[in-house]
Amino acid sequence: MIKRHLLGTMFALALTCFAHAGDVKVINEDAWFAEGPIWYQDKLFYVEYGRGTVTVWDGKKNKIFWKMDGCGPSAVLPTTTGEFLVTCYDSNSIGRISADGKTLPAYDKDTDGNPFSGPNDFAPDKDGGIYFTGSGKGGPLIDASAYYIGKDGSVRKVAGDLHNANGLVMSNDGKVLYLVETEDNRIIEFDVQLDHTLSNRRVFLRLDDLFPNQPHIWPDGIKMDKAGEMYIGQSPRSLDAPGKIIVVDKDAKLLRTLSVPSPSMPNFAFGPDEKELYVMALDQIDAAPWHGKVYEVPNK
């Protein structure tokens, strides 16, 4: 799991690398590996891997919405039926939660009866279905996959032979699925077919190409704004190069970067009208429980 690789606990270097410090607001000062957020019904939902929870922030306070020991949550997403899904990285399942926070039967196999390996992140489409990644065991293994959950609850494998699949996002027109291969420091893309299968795999962006002669970029979560600009989070592996959120256009051209006073910022969510970015960040990035923060950052 990319987010667990060895890094130190010192933050000093990271504190020197952020813009507009006066505009950055901390909305949770004691998050335990916050990840996979979504803005939904005027609230911010996010997971805390270190606590095994889905947490919700209503604009004033944070409270636990759901908890399951052993899940190892990595992302949360509401469905068109009013339920929530959670990628349970540690239990290799997709957890299901009712609208009032009750645990429902999980998905743990695809339609061929094969188990998942390290479910990580979600990307909904316009047809009411949801793509998700299975990260595999990481390292040099090319064992990651992507899946599609249909409106009928079926779970199909739609891509394999991926290298540590992580974040993923749909293009605004629904014709392209972008997917992070963290261990290869790149984002690939697929054409999305009418039956939700994927074809024409190709490289969209090699992150190291944007920053030549600098330490490797380890991409994590990705999001797409209404203008078609892609935001890319990072889980850096050295405090000599603290992470930043990278923004590129449809042609993979670097537009700008955003950062917060924490060394790692793997994932984030847009707030209402995309005026704010809610950033999940880590300070303690070498061991459990991975203390960190959740920030509200002005966007653009």
Side-chain angles (χ1 to χ4, degrees):
M1 187 176 180
I2 181 67
K3 310 173 189 73
R4 296 187 193 174
H5 280 275
L6 293 177
L7 292 169
T9 57
M10 295 175 61
F11 318 140
L13 290 174
L15 293 175
T16 65
C17 184
F18 64 96
H20 309 298
D23 297 328
V24 174
K25 175 183 177 182
V26 177
I27 65 172
N28 186 343
E29 62 181 12
D30 186 32
W32 291 12
F33 207 147
E35 257 273 42
I38 187 76
W39 185 268
Y40 177 66
Q41 294 185 343
D42 298 322
K43 298 176 183 177
L44 180 70
F45 290 79
Y46 59 96
V47 305
E48 291 187 70
Y49 177 88
R51 288 190 168 100
T53 61
V54 174
T55 302
V56 60
W57 180 68
D58 63 4
K60 296 181 180 178
K61 62 182 183 300
N62 293 275
K63 67 176 182 179
I64 293 175
F65 173 70
W66 176 84
K67 178 177 175 63
M68 177 175 282
D69 294 334
C71 164
S74 184
V76 61
L77 186 75
T79 71
T80 57
T81 64
E83 298 177 0
F84 292 84
L85 298 182
V86 179
T87 49
C88 290
Y89 188 97
D90 289 350
S91 64
N92 295 311
S93 64
I94 300 295
R96 295 173 55 224
I97 309 169
S98 67
D100 57 357
K102 293 183 175 61
T103 301
L104 302 173
Y107 300 119
D108 59 4
K109 295 180 178 64
D110 64 20
T111 52
D112 294 324
N114 297 314
F116 312 133
S117 180
N120 195 314
D121 207 356
F122 292 118
D125 69 6
K126 295 181 179 180
D127 295 332
I130 298 167
Y131 291 91
F132 73 91
T133 47
S135 290
K137 294 181 172 57
L141 298 176
I142 312 297
D143 63 344
S145 303
Y147 300 86
Y148 183 76
I149 305 175
K151 290 180 67 176
D152 61 356
S154 62
V155 184
R156 292 182 290 158
K157 182 177 176 179
V158 292
D161 297 323
L162 302 173
H163 196 187
N164 193 208
N166 203 322
L168 71 172
V169 69
M170 293 287 293
S171 62
N172 290 337
D173 61 9
K175 295 181 179 181
V176 177
L177 180 72
Y178 299 91
L179 186 150
V180 170
E181 288 186 301
T182 298
E183 289 287 343
D184 283 338
N185 315 101
R186 69 185 185 181
I187 297 170
I188 60 175
E189 57 183 325
F190 298 88
D191 293 331
V192 179
Q193 305 303 309
L194 292 177
D195 63 355
H196 309 112
T197 57
L198 304 177
S199 66
N200 191 22
R201 170 178 170 167
R202 57 205 182 268
V203 174
F204 169 71
L205 169 64
R206 291 181 174 86
L207 273 298
D208 291 346
D209 291 346
L210 295 181
F211 303 93
N213 304 315
Q214 294 187 30
H216 284 310
I217 302 295
W218 302 98
D220 200 308
I222 51 175
K223 296 291 190 296
M224 186 82 69
D225 70 9
K226 295 175 182 176
E229 295 178 355
M230 181 185 291
Y231 290 60
I232 306 161
Q234 286 188 61
S235 292
R237 299 186 182 183
S238 170
L239 285 177
D240 292 332
K244 51 188 173 288
I245 295 171
I246 299 164
V247 186
V248 300
D249 67 11
K250 63 181 179 61
D251 299 314
K253 178 182 177 182
L254 179 63
L255 298 177
R256 59 189 176 279
T257 62
L258 303 169
S259 50
V260 297
S262 289
S264 179
M265 49 201 74
N267 217 326
F268 41 85
F270 296 114
D273 300 319
E274 300 180 348
K275 293 181 179 179
E276 295 85 26
L277 201 64
Y278 291 96
V279 179
M280 312 293 108
L282 281 73
D283 295 319
Q284 180 191 14
I285 44 184
D286 64 332
W290 300 283
H291 289 288
K293 299 179 180 68
V294 178
Y295 295 95
E296 181 185 79
V297 182
N299 187 29
K300 299 183 182 179

